Amino acid sequence: MSSRRSEFERIRAVLAEADADEPLSARQIVALLEEHGEDIESAHRVATILGRYAERGEVEVIRDQPYQYRLLDEQEPDPSD
């Protein structure tokens, strides 16, 4: 029996595998997901998912043009504190 990972878990796994240390735009993340065989419908969907997790302190949102996202390690403090 296989368990279905959440979209966020899939994004986190691909970014970890790609060793993405720098912030990435939602479009860049979608491209990485596609390269790794993960299908998330759009950059807008990625931004929505990561925005929700930013509210929990698990993602840093860099409000630039375009917005960029960095997943935070569980031990890493939220930089806005």
Side-chain angles (χ1 to χ4, degrees):
M1 181 170 128
S2 68
S3 64
R4 186 164 190 267
R5 295 186 302 169
S6 74
E7 291 171 308
F8 180 70
E9 290 168 334
R10 291 170 30 215
I11 292 168
R12 181 182 288 284
V14 166
L15 293 179
E17 187 176 318
D19 202 21
D21 292 332
E22 296 182 21
L24 299 171
S25 70
R27 287 189 191 279
Q28 291 170 313
I29 293 169
V30 167
L32 277 175
L33 291 166
E34 289 174 354
E35 288 175 19
H36 287 83
E38 294 289 347
D39 183 35
I40 294 186
E41 64 192 57
S42 68
H44 181 265
R45 180 69 185 150
V46 167
T48 299
I49 294 164
L50 296 180
R52 287 185 189 142
Y53 280 83
E55 292 173 359
R56 300 178 186 182
E58 295 182 53
V59 175
E60 176 186 7
V61 178
I62 300 161
R63 288 174 167 77
D64 203 354
Q65 288 295 332
Y67 275 29
Q68 295 181 338
Y69 304 88
R70 179 187 355 247
L71 275 59
L72 302 173
D73 292 335
E74 291 180 27
Q75 303 86 2
E76 189 175 331
D78 185 343
S80 65
D81 286 342

